[in-house]
Amino acid sequence: MITRDIISNNFKGINLRGSKEPFTKIQLIDKIDLWKYILCEQCKAIHGESILIGLQTLDLDYIAAIIASAELGLKIVIVDYNRKDDFTDLEYFDAKTKILSPIDIFLHDLQPEWFDKFPKAFAKFKFFSACAHRTYTTVNDLSFEITNKETFNTIKEIRPAPSDIVMRCTSSGTTGTPKIVEHTHQFLYEISKRNADKFSIGNCLHIRNLNHGSSVAVYLLPALLSDGITSHLFYDVDEDQPFDNFIDEIKKYNNTLSFVNFPYPFMIDEFIKTSLKKNIAWPSLNVQTLSYIQDSAKTAVSDRVFKSITSIFGSNETSGPVFECTITKDNTQQSSSCFTKVDDFYDISLDSEGLIYIGMPVYNNTIVTNDTFKLEDNLYKHSGRKDIVKVNGEIIDYTVINEFNNRFLDTYLVVDSVTNTVYIACWDTFNAHAYNEIATFFATNYTNVAINKTATLNKQQFLSGIKIDNELIREYFRNHV
């Protein structure tokens, strides 16, 4: 189960932005017991309730609150935003949050007065407070004192059942309304134990909290399980700021740092750029990412900026990598779209159209992803997505979208199922012929679908590895067009 027992006896944590004093597993267990008491007595947590852990300081309390919530049988909500949603819009309500709401407990560690003093910067936290039944800040609302020793001793012995839900998140929502994905303690333990094999030896760096782009079972829990990790380094990165201070804080670990997870390409590029500027190399560092591997990252591996980079293919449903693509100095010419099967943990098969069927352990069911692959020379080559998408209640087959994009190479069509809009990006110059043909297609075949926005853009700004990143284009249109 996801309890204190998963934490390696060798555990040592260091908060690089705080006191910098290391903390041990014994200290962590004491803090877990305290957090269980606080959650029950002060936050009135009840078994089966959901909790959104929005602690921004990655330290002893951060890990303890996660494990304490799991031991109490709470459902940890992962909101996982990977775009700049307009939380300042009072009418805005993202589909993913809507399906996860109401959240029973929202926990954060920010000063309440910051919300009014810097409304735009902290709009997200006010937004989540509105989605929650109860909101608590560690700064003002909670007292870290034990007032009833007998109650404390009773609460600290509580443990979850294997079938209890420990994680609650959503599917991608690409094909319409996102679906709830829930994982039990038994499944998350098994997948975390399996994923722990990736973390062999060295220091492991944690830079983002649970709700910033990677599943808890892909990185955090497997790393905690590993006996080979010498130290867990915690540094809550502000992705909107340059990485200079970040690099300065971690540079003394440059020869021993072994693992870091950068979910998005822009973070990897910023890390590379700043490392080169400061003339710092990371000879033992294995970078993990949830996106395609960009050419800039391959060049960095070739130039020995860091040791390797691994792109993982999976989903919130699998909660772990099904395929992976690893680039080292020996294979920098390998295509970023070519993946290898990780192991036999999942039962994998491809149908005649290349859709991947994934047999899930523990649950004994099978899921189907929207991605298509071709098996060539024992490599799984990612060849696109076979999707449908809903706009204003009408279904669009992504085959049609891809056909337009393959035919008009200077025009790129994007559908945004969250805002129910259709965008056209023109590379360098506006293509009136392409626009008219696409507009006529929608007018002829649909009642409530039309081209909502167009813009002339620089194609290179929206490339993520070998493919155009649709999410980057959607974000640009939402915020700037």
Side-chain angles (χ1 to χ4, degrees), residues 14 21 69 76-77 107 117 179 207 259 262 265 268 284-285 289 321 331 351 353 396 402 444:
I14 303 173
E21 290 294 322
S69 298
I76 299 174
V77 173
L107 180 70
K117 191 173 182 180
K179 301 176 181 63
I207 63 168
F259 305 100
F262 290 120
I268 300 172
S284 302
L285 180 60
T289 183
N331 69 332
D351 70 7
E353 296 181 335
I396 303 172
N402 293 333
T444 303

Side-chain angles (χ1 to χ4, degrees), residues 21-159:
E21 290 294 322
F23 48 92
T24 65
K25 181 174 180 177
I26 293 174
Q27 291 171 293
L28 178 54
I29 287 175
D30 288 342
K31 190 67 98 166
I32 291 169
D33 289 335
L34 179 58
W35 264 106
K36 289 173 73 174
Y37 177 76
I38 292 168
L39 287 169
C40 287
E41 290 298 285
Q42 297 182 42
C43 302
K44 308 302 178 185
I46 300 172
H47 179 278
E49 285 193 317
S50 60
I51 181 169
L52 172 58
I53 301 173
L55 300 180
Q56 297 297 293
T57 304
L58 308 188
D59 58 4
L60 183 63
D61 284 293
Y62 165 71
I63 299 296
I66 293 169
I67 302 300
S69 298
E71 288 194 355
L72 289 172
L74 300 179
K75 301 174 182 178
I76 299 174
V77 173
I78 312 292
V79 290
D80 193 13
Y81 283 88
N82 61 2
R83 59 181 184 275
K84 295 180 179 178
D85 299 86
D86 188 7
F87 293 105
T88 59
D89 179 2
L90 297 179
E91 301 300 319
Y92 174 80
F93 210 101
D94 180 82
K96 290 185 178 182
T97 308
K98 186 174 183 179
I99 200 168
L100 287 167
S101 297
I103 296 162
D104 294 301
I105 299 170
F106 174 38
L107 180 70
H108 67 80
D109 55 0
L110 302 177
Q111 298 279 358
E113 55 266 29
W114 294 352
F115 292 12
D116 296 324
K117 191 173 182 180
F118 307 102
K120 188 172 182 180
F122 296 100
K124 180 169 67 173
F125 295 90
K126 292 195 75 170
F127 175 80
F128 288 137
S129 296
C131 298
H133 282 148
R134 312 190 298 281
T135 297
Y136 302 93
T137 171
T138 60
V139 179
N140 287 1
D141 299 332
L142 302 178
S143 169
F144 290 82
E145 293 184 6
I146 300 170
T147 57
N148 188 318
K149 191 68 176 179
E150 184 178 352
T151 301
F152 171 80
N153 289 332
T154 299
I155 291 172
K156 77 176 186 178
E157 298 302 322
I158 297 173
R159 294 296 185 275

Side-chain angles (χ1 to χ4, degrees), residues 376-391:
E376 299 176 355
D377 299 325
N378 292 321
L379 290 176
Y380 290 84
K381 186 174 183 179
H382 189 246
S383 53
R385 305 195 76 185
K386 187 177 178 62
D387 287 342
I388 59 170
V389 64
K390 290 182 179 178
V391 173

